[in-house]
Every structure is written in C-alpha cells, then in structure tokens.
Amino acid sequence: MLPYILLGFLSYQPMTGYELKNLMDDSTQHFWHAHHSQIYTTLRRLEEKGWLVSVEPAEDDPLNRRAYSITESGRSALQSWLDKPLLEIESSKHALLVRVFFSGSREPSGILRELRFQRQLHQQQLEQYREQEPAAPGRPDLEQEVPFWRATLDFGRRYEAMVVDWLDDQIARVEAGRRPAMSFPDAFPNSSLEEYDA
Amino acid sequence: MLPYILLGFLSYQPMTGYELKNLMDDSTQHFWHAHHSQIYTTLRRLEEKGWLVSVEPAEDDPLNRRAYSITESGRSALQSWLDKPLLEIESSKHALLVRVFFSGSREPSGILRELRFQRQLHQQQLEQYREQEPAAPGRPDLEQEVPFWRATLDFGRRYEAMVVDWLDDQIARVEAGRRPAMSFPDAFPNSSLEEYDA
DNA sequence: CACAGCATGTAATCTGTTACATGATTAC
DNA sequence: GTAATCATGTAACAGATTACATGCTGTG
C-alpha cells in the first residue's frame, strides 16, 4: 500500500522523502502511517523499479535533499492499481478490543480507568479532526481532489464519534454492573477528562 | 498481541491450535485475525517461554492433535498485560481510504462501482454481526465474560453501520457531481446489491 | 472414490517497528 | 550554545502473509 501512497503524492508534484513523511503525518495519518525509515527504503525500491526518478542532491545543498519525481511508468502503475477495485472487506486490528474481550475477570476500577482514558483520547482526536479542513491552496489543478481528501477526513470524524459513543456506553455498563441494586452516587464522582492516574 | 489472545482463550480451557484458529475466526475475526501458520509458531514460542505447556499427541490419535494448557506463569503474564492499560490511540490502516484519497482523477463510474460493491460487502457484514450473539453454554464460570464479548461485537456492528452510512453519503456525493445542473434519472438505475460487474 | 474438513507444520517473503547513526540549520 | 527541526540513511528485529507440504477422517 505504501508504494501507492508515495506514487499518489508524487503524482501531484516532485517531493523529498522528508516532505512525504510530513504530508502523511498531516493527511493520511488516520488511515495509513509509516516511519521515515520505511519511506526512504520504499522510495529507493520504487526508483529501482523505474516508477520514480530522483535527482542527486545538489552539491550546494548541505541538507542533502533528494527529490523524487514520478515517471510515466509510475503513473501507469498508480493508474492500474486504482483501476483494480478493492473487492473485499479489509481486516483491521484493534488492540483495545482485544483487551476488552478478555476483561471479564478484571477489576471494574481498572477497566473504567482505561475506558475513560481512551474516551478522552478519542474525544481529543475527534476535536482535532473537526478543526481540520483539506485544501489545495494555489493548485487549482488539484481542486477535484479536495472532496476526496475531505471524504477520508469525514470518515475519521465519524469513526472517532462512533468510538466515543461506544466507550460512553461501555463505561455506563461497567459502572452499572459495579454497584448492582444500588443508587448511591459516588462519593467522588470521576471526571472523565482527568489525566490518567495510573 | 496474538500471544495474549492465545493466552486469553487458553485461560478458559486447554485447546489445540486448530481449535484456537476456529475460535478466532468466530469471535475475534473483526478486531484481530491470524493465519494458522502464525498461530502454530506462536504457540511453540509461548511454550518455550514457559507460558504454555502442550501434551504430546497421543499415539492412538491419528490426527496428531497437540493440546496446549496455560501455566501459572502464563496466567500471570496475561494478568500483568491486562493490568498495564493502553495509553494511546492505536493507529489503523484502511486500504479503502487510501484508494478514496487518491480517487480525484478517477472515472466517476469506476469509483461508484467500487463504492457500491463495498457498500454491499459492509451491509452483509453488518447483517451477519446482527445475527451473532456471544454465549458460553455450559460454562457458568464464564458468564461474567459474556458482556465483554458482546461489547466487542457491538463495536463491530456500530463500525459497519457507520461505514455503510459513510459509503451511502460518498456514493450520493459522487453521483451528484457526475451530472451537475441536471436532474434526469439514470436510464438504468443501479441496484447497489448487484454483483460486481468488473 | 472424490471432496470437504480435520490437523499440523516449515520456508520464503514481505511489511513494519525500533534503534542506531550522522550532520546541517534555525530560532531563542 | 543549545535545543528543535531539517534531512537521510542502515541494521536488527518482530509481525504477518503466502506458498509449500503432508496425512487422516467422514460424507455422499
């Protein structure tokens, strides 16, 4: 997948590995991320394949920047990947759900602490997504891309909102189970926005 | 993560690799999956670590079944993993979103075909989750686990419902963009439940 | 007897993470 | 000057997928 992300961005304009890393951190982070080590090695591999070409860092560039450009061969590889649609549901991995699945014998207080902290993290993530707005300033040729960038951001917002709701319900469920047949309020009601106190 | 899933299941009762694979396919599939090759090698590794013990397949068992049991050391490893809560948002990977992100210059018809097919898949997945109901028949000692199993299933249902909604909106958006300032219905309106016709 | 399912493994490869390593530039 | 950021790489390791490989059992 990473090769196509790099090809995709380089189809907009030539860039260095460092710039690609930053772009991914800003825009694809919530559905695909990569460490710089993987990006640099993948770029080299794509150049060997002939899908990219890089210009040797200029001698007067002490930062040793290597800019990559997409080749015609790279463009058609990207295009034929896009033309071959995804025909399956991709499987995902959620460590949090693994933990919840095997939490039946944990202390309710420990579970609650974890769920409340996760709720806080996902709420913050949601707020951050709500502030983001994709744009291609000064690139009218990329205007048609913007609605698709926004679509992926919208997915992120809906996903985080769903997770926050689910966590709220799980927190309520565990709290309800903790004091069965009781209705006393907690002596020190927990704010779900406190720092994790582990 | 896989080691803890195996430990978690084996904390319920001794099992073979094959049974663990089936259990995962039935219950953790939507938040963690593994191929049998990885399960068998991981079980061996956990035995070397002393977290599991296996009994040699009985001589009279032509199927060569090897049953694993959790050790005390394995139980405490599982427990201390559960006691160390997850303090970050886990990053996820969504190939579909990568494709959508770089779909700005694709043919609307190709995008629509893909989105509609994905919608169909996720709708089916949602219906399948709605029919599922976690239970521990004949194991009253596992009753307390059931609500947590159900919680992860509930996550799956909400996730698939969210994805279907999002796909509906994206399909509508692309359709609206395809015939700007027009309101003629399609000559052959597409059923979103047809087989993929690629 | 053929085929689906039971049952376990190894090997090669690919993908991804973490750690190690280096050096320049910019802002304070 | 010192810390953050720019910028690129290698190496070791861990995690995951795909292919290869084998043999038994039960059903039609």
Side-chain angles (χ1 to χ4, degrees), chain B residues 135-189:
Chain B
R139 290 294 301 271
D141 57 316
L142 294 183
E143 266 315 310
Q144 61 190 343
E145 310 282 338
V146 176
F148 290 89
W149 300 345
R150 185 155 37 225
T152 64
L153 178 59
D154 184 47
F155 185 101
R157 289 174 183 156
R158 292 183 195 212
Y159 176 78
E160 294 301 336
M162 183 278 288
V163 173
V164 169
D165 278 355
W166 177 79
L167 284 167
D168 280 341
D169 287 359
Q170 296 314 315
I171 290 164
R173 179 179 65 75
V174 174
E175 277 173 344
R178 191 169 53 162
R179 29 179 165 65
M182 279 213 200
S183 58
F184 298 114
D186 282 349
F188 299 99

Side-chain angles (χ1 to χ4, degrees), chain B residues 43-62:
Chain B
L43 286 170
R44 292 283 179 155
R45 235 180 54 220
L46 295 178
E47 188 169 22
E48 278 170 37
K49 264 194 170 185
W51 291 359
L52 301 177
V53 281
S54 69
V55 290
E56 288 296 319
E59 280 169 39
D60 61 325
D61 180 5

Side-chain angles (χ1 to χ4, degrees), chain B residues 18 36-37 40 44 63-66 93:
Chain B
Y18 192 82
H36 77 268
S37 57
Y40 287 118
R44 292 283 179 155
L63 285 184
N64 221 43
R65 278 168 294 202
R66 177 178 292 269
K93 306 215 158 180

Side-chain angles (χ1 to χ4, degrees), chain B residues 45-95:
Chain B
R45 235 180 54 220
L46 295 178
E47 188 169 22
E48 278 170 37
K49 264 194 170 185
W51 291 359
L52 301 177
V53 281
S54 69
V55 290
E56 288 296 319
E59 280 169 39
D60 61 325
D61 180 5
L63 285 184
N64 221 43
R65 278 168 294 202
R66 177 178 292 269
Y68 286 87
S69 311
I70 196 168
T71 60
E72 269 319 303
S73 158
R75 267 182 212 282
S76 76
L78 174 62
Q79 198 53 53
S80 71
W81 176 73
L82 285 168
D83 287 344
K84 203 172 51 182
L86 187 66
L87 295 177
E88 296 160 8
I89 290 190
E90 327 137 67
S91 49
S92 35
K93 306 215 158 180
H94 298 274

Side-chain angles (χ1 to χ4, degrees), chain A residues 7 23 43 50 57 66 101-102 118 134 155 198:
Chain A
L7 285 175
L23 248 185
L43 286 170
R66 175 178 295 267
F101 191 92
F102 292 110
Q118 282 288 323
F155 185 101

Side-chain angles (χ1 to χ4, degrees), chain A residues 130-146:
Chain A
R130 282 186 173 146
E131 284 161 17
Q132 254 178 272
E133 178 57 27
R139 289 293 302 271
D141 57 316
L142 294 183
E143 266 316 308
Q144 62 190 343
E145 310 282 340
V146 177

